[in-house]
Amino acid sequence: MDPMPEERETRAAEPLTQWVQRIAHAVRAFDRRHPLPWDLTFTGFWVTAALIDYVGGGWENVARNKDVPASLLLTMTLGLSLPLLWRRTHPRAVLCAIAPMAVANAWSGAVLQAALLQLVVVYHIALRRPLRSLWWTTILVITPEFVTVARHSKRSWDEQVVPLLLSIALCAAIGITVRTRRDYTEALEDRARRLETERDQQAQLAAAAERARIAREMHDIIGHNLSVITGLADGGRYAAAKSPDRAAQALDAIATTSRQALTELRRLLDVLREEDRPAADLTPQPALTDLDQLIDGVRKAGLPVSTTIHGTPAITPGRQLTVYRVIQEALTNTLKHAGPGATSQLEMSYDDGAVTVTVTDTGRGGDTDGTGGRGLPGMRERTALYSGTLEAGPLPEGGWRVRLHLPEETPQ
């Protein structure tokens, strides 16, 4: 169906409107950067008009006294128009400079029309200066009119003063309207800039948090699995000479552990890919049900681990991942630092939604403050997410202990 004529006209006008807006924006931008050309053009126009009124004798049509000296007329003509050059930067000073000329104009009876240029200054005062300035501005502009009425007019004062008051009010209203719109636009632009800055900051914080999370996960995955592989490789090397079958089992375990580590790393690093990808591999994060597999791998690497469990787990998947990673890190540190002949004991206690985990070993211990790597800081960061506590340090009788406690989760 053919569009209505009004719709066609609206669509046809849109490009023209956009073009006009672009031109206006370009003109305003040029004026902000180079205000003098426009000020000279504007002032030159009104000075020329005032001089034409003076030279052509047009002022005599409304004059109350036609015998005003020519030198005084020229002085008043230039005094009422030339100060407009500074109307934007010093509007109050310009009005004060024009005021004596306006009073002289009224007193002499010449009644030059250039006196109406005071309304331009009223507009700029309303646009750029505090609104309380309009009170004395009105008094300053209206005073010459009272002088004219008192000396040269036979009409009542309200017939001449009221129209001028309405003109002053109109110019002030236009200035206030333009000022309000300008302030509103500036507020919107400032808000847009602040929102853009806040968005960038939020993106940076999110990126930093994601990098920290990925670093923790990669540390847990790589550190644990490489420790297990190292232990299996050492055991396989010693067993190769006396028991080839045991050496082959160690190699099989190394291959299995390596594949598991690669799978976890691929799943973790997939989040860094920018291109869209189908959600093919949705393997869940490790949970408490995977502890047996973790402990078996550590035992195969040569660290005897005994476990004691009290109660039944009833915690959320996120808390399960924290418990799993803390146990993984503790056993990994034992593999790295405990030395030969060390043993480890894992004790877990569940109480409703709370859980307490204690991992001890009989080795020689390692870094006491966690500054040597990301292990202990990573465990503390995970624990803090669930308002838990983590204690890690050497035992008086020798060995090392890591104790994790996650309190019962408060319903939100």
Side-chain angles (χ1 to χ4, degrees):
M1 187 198 313
D2 246 359
M4 299 294 291
E6 295 82 6
E7 295 178 358
R8 288 199 300 269
E9 290 174 3
T10 301
R11 286 201 294 269
E14 285 178 356
L16 177 61
T17 302
Q18 294 175 358
W19 180 79
V20 171
Q21 289 176 348
R22 286 196 298 269
I23 295 297
H25 179 73
V27 170
R28 285 195 298 268
F30 178 82
D31 183 49
R32 282 194 298 268
R33 294 192 302 269
H34 310 285
L36 186 59
W38 169 245
D39 288 340
L40 289 173
T41 302
F42 183 87
T43 305
F45 173 82
W46 288 114
V47 169
T48 303
L51 289 175
I52 290 174
D53 184 55
Y54 159 68
V55 174
W59 63 277
E60 297 179 352
N61 296 327
V62 294
R64 303 292 192 273
N65 178 19
K66 299 182 180 180
D67 297 327
V68 181
S71 59
L72 179 59
L73 283 174
L74 180 60
T75 300
M76 290 189 299
T77 297
L78 296 178
L80 291 170
S81 57
L82 272 179
L84 292 180
L85 182 63
W86 299 277
R87 73 197 183 282
R88 291 200 286 188
T89 55
H90 304 88
R92 289 181 293 194
V94 168
L95 187 62
C96 291
I98 291 177
M101 296 297 170
V103 172
N105 180 47
W107 185 270
S108 65
V111 194
L112 295 175
Q113 298 302 299
L116 294 177
L117 293 176
Q118 294 177 99
L119 297 177
V120 176
V121 186
V122 171
Y123 163 80
H124 282 281
I125 290 177
L127 178 64
R128 304 174 191 280
R129 294 296 179 261
L131 296 183
R132 61 178 179 271
S133 301
L134 291 174
W135 293 106
W136 65 263
T137 298
T138 302
I139 295 174
L140 206 59
V141 174
I142 208 71
T143 298
E145 197 66 26
F146 281 107
V147 174
T148 301
V149 173
R151 280 183 55 82
H152 304 287
S153 180
K154 298 179 180 179
R155 293 182 295 174
S156 61
W157 67 272
D158 57 322
E159 292 182 11
Q160 290 190 223
V161 173
V162 171
L164 182 58
L165 281 174
L166 292 177
S167 299
I168 294 173
L170 178 61
C171 292
I174 294 174
I176 292 172
T177 302
V178 175
R179 177 181 190 160
T180 302
R181 180 177 178 82
R182 182 194 63 188
D183 293 344
Y184 177 70
T185 303
E186 290 177 353
L188 288 179
E189 292 175 351
D190 179 66
R191 182 171 181 268
R193 284 193 296 268
R194 286 188 285 107
L195 287 175
E196 184 176 358
T197 301
E198 183 179 352
R199 181 200 63 192
D200 294 341
Q201 291 175 345
Q202 292 293 337
Q204 292 173 1
L205 291 174
E210 184 65 13
R211 284 196 298 269
R213 186 190 70 81
I214 292 174
R216 287 197 303 268
E217 294 292 336
M218 292 185 68
H219 173 273
D220 293 339
I221 294 171
I222 296 175
H224 170 74
N225 287 288
L226 285 181
S227 297
V228 172
I229 290 171
T230 301
L232 290 171
D234 290 340
R237 183 182 61 184
Y238 289 115
K242 299 180 180 180
S243 178
D245 293 338
R246 296 288 299 275
Q249 292 175 2
L251 291 175
D252 291 340
I254 288 173
T256 302
T257 304
S258 301
R259 292 190 188 97
Q260 291 175 351
L262 287 174
T263 300
E264 291 190 53
L265 284 175
R266 288 194 188 100
R267 182 171 65 245
L268 179 63
L269 296 177
D270 275 348
V271 302
L272 301 178
R273 295 172 58 186
E274 294 182 358
E275 67 272 10
D276 295 334
R277 60 182 179 86
D281 186 4
L282 299 179
T283 306
Q285 292 276 29
L288 295 180
T289 53
D290 300 304
L291 275 179
D292 291 340
Q293 183 178 356
L294 171 68
I295 294 172
D296 288 342
V298 173
R299 286 170 178 161
K300 290 179 180 179
L303 176 64
V305 181
S306 61
T307 59
T308 304
I309 299 177
H310 304 283
T312 303
I315 56 177
T316 59
R319 293 157 72 87
Q320 290 188 38
L321 177 61
T322 297
V323 172
Y324 179 92
R325 291 303 190 194
V326 169
I327 295 173
Q328 183 185 53
E329 180 63 27
L331 294 177
T332 301
N333 287 339
T334 301
L335 278 172
K336 289 180 180 178
H337 307 297
T343 62
S344 180
Q345 181 177 358
L346 168 63
E347 183 177 353
M348 304 179 64
S349 177
Y350 301 100
D351 183 11
D352 293 332
V355 58
T356 301
V357 177
T358 305
V359 182
T360 58
D361 64 57
T362 59
R364 59 174 179 263
D367 191 9
T368 58
D369 58 2
T371 58
R374 294 193 54 87
L376 290 179
M379 286 193 288
R380 291 194 176 97
E381 290 173 5
R382 291 182 183 277
T383 305
L385 292 176
Y386 297 98
S387 303
T389 57
L390 181 76
E391 301 173 3
L395 295 171
E397 63 275 11
W400 188 270
R401 181 182 69 178
V402 175
R403 184 179 184 276
L404 165 70
H405 175 73
L406 297 181
E408 184 176 356
E409 196 166 13
T410 303
Q412 300 293 324

PDB file of all heavy atoms in Angstrom, residues 288 291 307-311 313 323 327 346-350 355-358:
ATOM      1  N   LEU A 288      32.747 -32.856  45.648  1.00  0.00           N
ATOM      2  CA  LEU A 288      33.204 -33.794  46.671  1.00  0.00           C
ATOM      3  C   LEU A 288      33.154 -35.241  46.185  1.00  0.00           C
ATOM      4  O   LEU A 288      33.886 -36.102  46.693  1.00  0.00           O
ATOM      5  CB  LEU A 288      32.365 -33.630  47.940  1.00  0.00           C
ATOM      6  CG  LEU A 288      32.510 -32.270  48.645  1.00  0.00           C
ATOM      7  CD1 LEU A 288      31.632 -32.225  49.884  1.00  0.00           C
ATOM      8  CD2 LEU A 288      33.967 -32.004  49.016  1.00  0.00           C
ATOM      9  N   LEU A 291      36.535 -36.551  45.061  1.00  0.00           N
ATOM     10  CA  LEU A 291      37.661 -36.628  45.986  1.00  0.00           C
ATOM     11  C   LEU A 291      38.375 -37.973  45.913  1.00  0.00           C
ATOM     12  O   LEU A 291      39.607 -38.038  46.019  1.00  0.00           O
ATOM     13  CB  LEU A 291      37.186 -36.367  47.420  1.00  0.00           C
ATOM     14  CG  LEU A 291      37.098 -34.901  47.849  1.00  0.00           C
ATOM     15  CD1 LEU A 291      36.594 -34.800  49.278  1.00  0.00           C
ATOM     16  CD2 LEU A 291      38.457 -34.229  47.720  1.00  0.00           C
ATOM     17  N   THR A 307      42.007 -41.200  55.089  1.00  0.00           N
ATOM     18  CA  THR A 307      40.864 -40.287  55.156  1.00  0.00           C
ATOM     19  C   THR A 307      39.930 -40.699  56.277  1.00  0.00           C
ATOM     20  O   THR A 307      39.729 -41.885  56.552  1.00  0.00           O
ATOM     21  CB  THR A 307      40.086 -40.287  53.826  1.00  0.00           C
ATOM     22  OG1 THR A 307      39.626 -41.613  53.543  1.00  0.00           O
ATOM     23  CG2 THR A 307      40.977 -39.830  52.684  1.00  0.00           C
ATOM     24  N   THR A 308      39.355 -39.702  56.919  1.00  0.00           N
ATOM     25  CA  THR A 308      38.337 -39.890  57.957  1.00  0.00           C
ATOM     26  C   THR A 308      37.232 -38.881  57.710  1.00  0.00           C
ATOM     27  O   THR A 308      37.500 -37.670  57.609  1.00  0.00           O
ATOM     28  CB  THR A 308      38.924 -39.667  59.365  1.00  0.00           C
ATOM     29  OG1 THR A 308      40.047 -40.531  59.549  1.00  0.00           O
ATOM     30  CG2 THR A 308      37.884 -39.952  60.432  1.00  0.00           C
ATOM     31  N   ILE A 309      36.000 -39.357  57.607  1.00  0.00           N
ATOM     32  CA  ILE A 309      34.865 -38.487  57.282  1.00  0.00           C
ATOM     33  C   ILE A 309      33.797 -38.666  58.350  1.00  0.00           C
ATOM     34  O   ILE A 309      33.401 -39.798  58.666  1.00  0.00           O
ATOM     35  CB  ILE A 309      34.291 -38.799  55.889  1.00  0.00           C
ATOM     36  CG1 ILE A 309      35.365 -38.573  54.810  1.00  0.00           C
ATOM     37  CG2 ILE A 309      33.078 -37.935  55.600  1.00  0.00           C
ATOM     38  CD1 ILE A 309      34.914 -38.922  53.410  1.00  0.00           C
ATOM     39  N   HIS A 310      33.320 -37.548  58.902  1.00  0.00           N
ATOM     40  CA  HIS A 310      32.257 -37.550  59.902  1.00  0.00           C
ATOM     41  C   HIS A 310      31.063 -36.788  59.338  1.00  0.00           C
ATOM     42  O   HIS A 310      31.189 -35.637  58.922  1.00  0.00           O
ATOM     43  CB  HIS A 310      32.710 -36.869  61.200  1.00  0.00           C
ATOM     44  CG  HIS A 310      33.952 -37.465  61.785  1.00  0.00           C
ATOM     45  ND1 HIS A 310      33.970 -38.654  62.481  1.00  0.00           N
ATOM     46  CD2 HIS A 310      35.247 -37.028  61.758  1.00  0.00           C
ATOM     47  CE1 HIS A 310      35.205 -38.922  62.879  1.00  0.00           C
ATOM     48  NE2 HIS A 310      36.007 -37.942  62.443  1.00  0.00           N
ATOM     49  N   GLY A 311      29.918 -37.418  59.333  1.00  0.00           N
ATOM     50  CA  GLY A 311      28.710 -36.758  58.865  1.00  0.00           C
ATOM     51  C   GLY A 311      28.491 -36.940  57.379  1.00  0.00           C
ATOM     52  O   GLY A 311      29.259 -37.609  56.676  1.00  0.00           O
ATOM     53  N   PRO A 313      27.745 -34.871  53.724  1.00  0.00           N
ATOM     54  CA  PRO A 313      27.841 -33.530  53.124  1.00  0.00           C
ATOM     55  C   PRO A 313      26.483 -33.016  52.656  1.00  0.00           C
ATOM     56  O   PRO A 313      25.696 -33.757  52.050  1.00  0.00           O
ATOM     57  CB  PRO A 313      28.797 -33.748  51.949  1.00  0.00           C
ATOM     58  CG  PRO A 313      28.709 -35.198  51.622  1.00  0.00           C
ATOM     59  CD  PRO A 313      28.449 -35.886  52.932  1.00  0.00           C
ATOM     60  N   VAL A 323      36.054 -26.577  48.852  1.00  0.00           N
ATOM     61  CA  VAL A 323      36.618 -27.651  49.676  1.00  0.00           C
ATOM     62  C   VAL A 323      37.540 -28.530  48.832  1.00  0.00           C
ATOM     63  O   VAL A 323      38.657 -28.888  49.249  1.00  0.00           O
ATOM     64  CB  VAL A 323      35.487 -28.481  50.309  1.00  0.00           C
ATOM     65  CG1 VAL A 323      36.062 -29.713  51.010  1.00  0.00           C
ATOM     66  CG2 VAL A 323      34.699 -27.635  51.299  1.00  0.00           C
ATOM     67  N   ILE A 327      41.655 -29.005  49.451  1.00  0.00           N
ATOM     68  CA  ILE A 327      42.258 -30.326  49.671  1.00  0.00           C
ATOM     69  C   ILE A 327      43.292 -30.622  48.590  1.00  0.00           C
ATOM     70  O   ILE A 327      44.394 -31.121  48.864  1.00  0.00           O
ATOM     71  CB  ILE A 327      41.164 -31.411  49.694  1.00  0.00           C
ATOM     72  CG1 ILE A 327      40.238 -31.206  50.903  1.00  0.00           C
ATOM     73  CG2 ILE A 327      41.774 -32.803  49.733  1.00  0.00           C
ATOM     74  CD1 ILE A 327      39.040 -32.131  50.917  1.00  0.00           C
ATOM     75  N   LEU A 346      43.707 -36.905  55.955  1.00  0.00           N
ATOM     76  CA  LEU A 346      42.608 -36.002  55.625  1.00  0.00           C
ATOM     77  C   LEU A 346      41.428 -36.311  56.534  1.00  0.00           C
ATOM     78  O   LEU A 346      40.964 -37.457  56.582  1.00  0.00           O
ATOM     79  CB  LEU A 346      42.201 -36.166  54.152  1.00  0.00           C
ATOM     80  CG  LEU A 346      40.882 -35.506  53.721  1.00  0.00           C
ATOM     81  CD1 LEU A 346      40.953 -33.998  53.872  1.00  0.00           C
ATOM     82  CD2 LEU A 346      40.524 -35.896  52.284  1.00  0.00           C
ATOM     83  N   GLU A 347      40.935 -35.293  57.220  1.00  0.00           N
ATOM     84  CA  GLU A 347      39.784 -35.461  58.113  1.00  0.00           C
ATOM     85  C   GLU A 347      38.742 -34.414  57.744  1.00  0.00           C
ATOM     86  O   GLU A 347      39.035 -33.216  57.676  1.00  0.00           O
ATOM     87  CB  GLU A 347      40.199 -35.290  59.579  1.00  0.00           C
ATOM     88  CG  GLU A 347      39.041 -35.519  60.552  1.00  0.00           C
ATOM     89  CD  GLU A 347      39.467 -35.430  62.006  1.00  0.00           C
ATOM     90  OE1 GLU A 347      40.687 -35.332  62.254  1.00  0.00           O
ATOM     91  OE2 GLU A 347      38.593 -35.454  62.883  1.00  0.00           O
ATOM     92  N   MET A 348      37.517 -34.896  57.510  1.00  0.00           N
ATOM     93  CA  MET A 348      36.418 -34.009  57.119  1.00  0.00           C
ATOM     94  C   MET A 348      35.261 -34.221  58.078  1.00  0.00           C
ATOM     95  O   MET A 348      34.901 -35.360  58.404  1.00  0.00           O
ATOM     96  CB  MET A 348      35.978 -34.286  55.675  1.00  0.00           C
ATOM     97  CG  MET A 348      37.103 -34.171  54.659  1.00  0.00           C
ATOM     98  SD  MET A 348      36.567 -34.526  52.963  1.00  0.00           S
ATOM     99  CE  MET A 348      35.421 -33.194  52.692  1.00  0.00           C
ATOM    100  N   SER A 349      34.650 -33.105  58.487  1.00  0.00           N
ATOM    101  CA  SER A 349      33.538 -33.161  59.430  1.00  0.00           C
ATOM    102  C   SER A 349      32.427 -32.262  58.922  1.00  0.00           C
ATOM    103  O   SER A 349      32.646 -31.076  58.641  1.00  0.00           O
ATOM    104  CB  SER A 349      33.998 -32.709  60.825  1.00  0.00           C
ATOM    105  OG  SER A 349      32.911 -32.689  61.717  1.00  0.00           O
ATOM    106  N   TYR A 350      31.213 -32.830  58.794  1.00  0.00           N
ATOM    107  CA  TYR A 350      30.047 -32.091  58.326  1.00  0.00           C
ATOM    108  C   TYR A 350      29.074 -31.904  59.478  1.00  0.00           C
ATOM    109  O   TYR A 350      28.797 -32.833  60.237  1.00  0.00           O
ATOM    110  CB  TYR A 350      29.348 -32.820  57.175  1.00  0.00           C
ATOM    111  CG  TYR A 350      30.226 -33.052  55.977  1.00  0.00           C
ATOM    112  CD1 TYR A 350      30.833 -34.287  55.764  1.00  0.00           C
ATOM    113  CD2 TYR A 350      30.446 -32.043  55.057  1.00  0.00           C
ATOM    114  CE1 TYR A 350      31.641 -34.507  54.660  1.00  0.00           C
ATOM    115  CE2 TYR A 350      31.254 -32.254  53.948  1.00  0.00           C
ATOM    116  CZ  TYR A 350      31.839 -33.487  53.754  1.00  0.00           C
ATOM    117  OH  TYR A 350      32.633 -33.702  52.673  1.00  0.00           O
ATOM    118  N   VAL A 355      31.161 -27.146  57.294  1.00  0.00           N
ATOM    119  CA  VAL A 355      32.124 -28.197  56.996  1.00  0.00           C
ATOM    120  C   VAL A 355      33.487 -27.766  57.526  1.00  0.00           C
ATOM    121  O   VAL A 355      33.858 -26.593  57.448  1.00  0.00           O
ATOM    122  CB  VAL A 355      32.188 -28.479  55.468  1.00  0.00           C
ATOM    123  CG1 VAL A 355      32.561 -27.223  54.701  1.00  0.00           C
ATOM    124  CG2 VAL A 355      33.179 -29.591  55.170  1.00  0.00           C
ATOM    125  N   THR A 356      34.198 -28.737  58.089  1.00  0.00           N
ATOM    126  CA  THR A 356      35.559 -28.505  58.580  1.00  0.00           C
ATOM    127  C   THR A 356      36.472 -29.558  57.969  1.00  0.00           C
ATOM    128  O   THR A 356      36.165 -30.755  58.015  1.00  0.00           O
ATOM    129  CB  THR A 356      35.612 -28.591  60.118  1.00  0.00           C
ATOM    130  OG1 THR A 356      34.720 -27.622  60.667  1.00  0.00           O
ATOM    131  CG2 THR A 356      37.028 -28.312  60.612  1.00  0.00           C
ATOM    132  N   VAL A 357      37.575 -29.093  57.383  1.00  0.00           N
ATOM    133  CA  VAL A 357      38.526 -29.982  56.721  1.00  0.00           C
ATOM    134  C   VAL A 357      39.904 -29.741  57.336  1.00  0.00           C
ATOM    135  O   VAL A 357      40.336 -28.598  57.473  1.00  0.00           O
ATOM    136  CB  VAL A 357      38.575 -29.724  55.202  1.00  0.00           C
ATOM    137  CG1 VAL A 357      39.616 -30.616  54.550  1.00  0.00           C
ATOM    138  CG2 VAL A 357      37.206 -29.940  54.580  1.00  0.00           C
ATOM    139  N   THR A 358      40.570 -30.847  57.707  1.00  0.00           N
ATOM    140  CA  THR A 358      41.926 -30.759  58.244  1.00  0.00           C
ATOM    141  C   THR A 358      42.826 -31.712  57.470  1.00  0.00           C
ATOM    142  O   THR A 358      42.517 -32.911  57.374  1.00  0.00           O
ATOM    143  CB  THR A 358      41.966 -31.105  59.733  1.00  0.00           C
ATOM    144  OG1 THR A 358      41.048 -30.263  60.429  1.00  0.00           O
ATOM    145  CG2 THR A 358      43.361 -30.907  60.292  1.00  0.00           C
TER     146      THR A 358
END
